[in-house]
Amino acid sequence: MFDSRHIRTFHEVVRAGSYSAAARALGYTQPAITQQMKALERSVGSPLFLRVGRTMRLTEAGETLARHSEVILESISTARQQMESLTRLRAGKVTVCSFPSAGATLVPEALASLAAEHPGIRVELREEEPPESLLRVVRGECDITLAFTYPGLREQVPEELVEIPLLEDQLTVLLPTWHAMARRRAVKLDALADERWIAGCLRCRTNFLHECAELGFAPQIAFTTDDNLVVQSLVAEGLGIAMVPGLVLSFLVHEKVTGRALDPASRRQVSAYVLREHLRVPATARVLDALRRAADRRVGC
């Protein structure tokens, strides 16, 4: 309804007491002030000033607008400052959703560099496995999600999302250190067909069963858990072995557990997913840059 320039001029006219005084204060010509006030009166739908001799008085509409004009201008100024802070990366909030192994590796590394470069950007973390994590971006519950896909499986990604590939994560087998295969640099999956297995999340378990089926055997799954530390503890106690992502090797906590690469190699793709519009949001773009750099530093994953 109102042009903020007209509100600012009106506020100065009220403060200065006349069009000519307002023109001098603002650096305008008096006709320019007159034209702006006429335009504002058309927007309001009522006169704002009454001329009484050589003086001006506010009408009831003018008095009402005068009471609000300072608040309006302060709100505009505050909004401008906050928007400037966002665009210049002095502020901003980004919500990142991640699966556990990336949340324990890529995300902390990325946030450390982000905090050093742009301390005003605040990041909130959520944890979720795909495909649910992808839907959280679509629903607006997070700005960025980290998810993984397996090449042998047909997986649907919502068409609204843009994929930013980060790294290929090589799968490994977790073994007790005393296991006969632990002395080898790499192991064949079918050589472990008779072992008891510990399976992970639904997507990882589906891929594991698919790879085993491709090699002609059905694994004996003794336990299933999404918790990587539980997986390590079960392996350490000799209760089974597990096929896990290479990222997990970054936080092995049991001395009695070791990881061995698969031969032939098997990998999953780790990517960030965002809505296309979020690529233009400065804070979100900086978080994505930090995630890319963290992924690039993980040589061999």
Side-chain angles (χ1 to χ4, degrees), residues 1-11 40 65 68-85:
M1 181 178 178
F2 300 136
D3 186 316
S4 61
R5 295 171 302 172
H6 297 167
I7 296 293
R8 185 171 291 105
T9 300
F10 170 78
H11 181 71
L40 182 58
L65 185 57
H68 292 286
S69 62
E70 188 166 353
V71 174
I72 292 170
L73 294 174
E74 286 178 356
S75 296
I76 291 172
S77 177
T78 300
R80 182 181 292 112
Q81 290 172 11
Q82 291 179 356
M83 294 302 294
E84 189 174 289
S85 292

Side-chain angles (χ1 to χ4, degrees), residues 135-273:
L135 297 178
R136 294 189 74 166
V137 184
V138 175
R139 294 195 297 261
E141 298 170 4
C142 62
D143 304 303
I144 301 171
T145 197
L146 298 183
F148 55 87
T149 56
Y150 288 103
L153 302 180
R154 296 181 61 185
E155 300 179 288
Q156 295 295 321
V157 174
E159 62 182 12
E160 301 97 323
L161 299 183
V162 176
E163 179 182 3
I164 297 97
L166 296 177
L167 59 83
E168 287 191 340
D169 190 15
Q170 183 168 316
L171 301 181
T172 63
V173 177
L174 286 189
L175 302 162
T177 52
W178 46 260
H179 196 285
M181 293 290 186
R183 294 191 293 270
R184 302 187 180 186
R185 295 187 61 182
V187 297
K188 294 185 179 297
L189 188 58
D190 55 359
L192 301 168
D194 296 330
E195 298 282 346
R196 287 160 52 91
W197 289 87
I198 303 154
C201 72
L202 178 60
R203 181 170 285 198
C204 293
R205 186 161 68 250
T206 300
N207 177 71
F208 172 58
L209 292 172
H210 170 76
E211 293 203 22
C212 292
E214 289 285 297
L215 295 171
F217 74 96
Q220 178 189 356
I221 297 179
F223 303 99
T224 60
T225 176
D226 294 348
D227 192 319
N228 287 305
L229 293 179
V230 173
V231 172
Q232 293 178 44
S233 297
L234 292 171
V235 173
E237 296 301 325
L239 296 171
I241 64 175
M243 187 166 80
V244 301
L247 288 174
V248 172
L249 299 182
S250 299
F251 50 93
L252 278 180
V253 297
H254 286 283
E255 294 181 354
K256 295 188 293 183
V257 175
T258 188
R260 291 294 179 263
L262 285 169
D263 178 24
S266 180
R267 296 179 176 86
R268 66 178 182 174
Q269 176 66 50
V270 176
S271 299
Y273 295 86

Side-chain angles (χ1 to χ4, degrees), residues 85-122:
S85 292
L86 290 172
T87 56
R88 295 189 179 183
L89 298 172
R90 292 196 296 265
K93 184 185 80 170
V94 180
T95 302
V96 177
C97 185
S98 174
F99 57 95
S101 55
T105 53
L106 291 180
V107 172
E109 293 171 21
L111 296 192
S113 63
L114 184 74
E117 297 168 6
H118 303 290
I121 296 177
R122 181 163 59 92

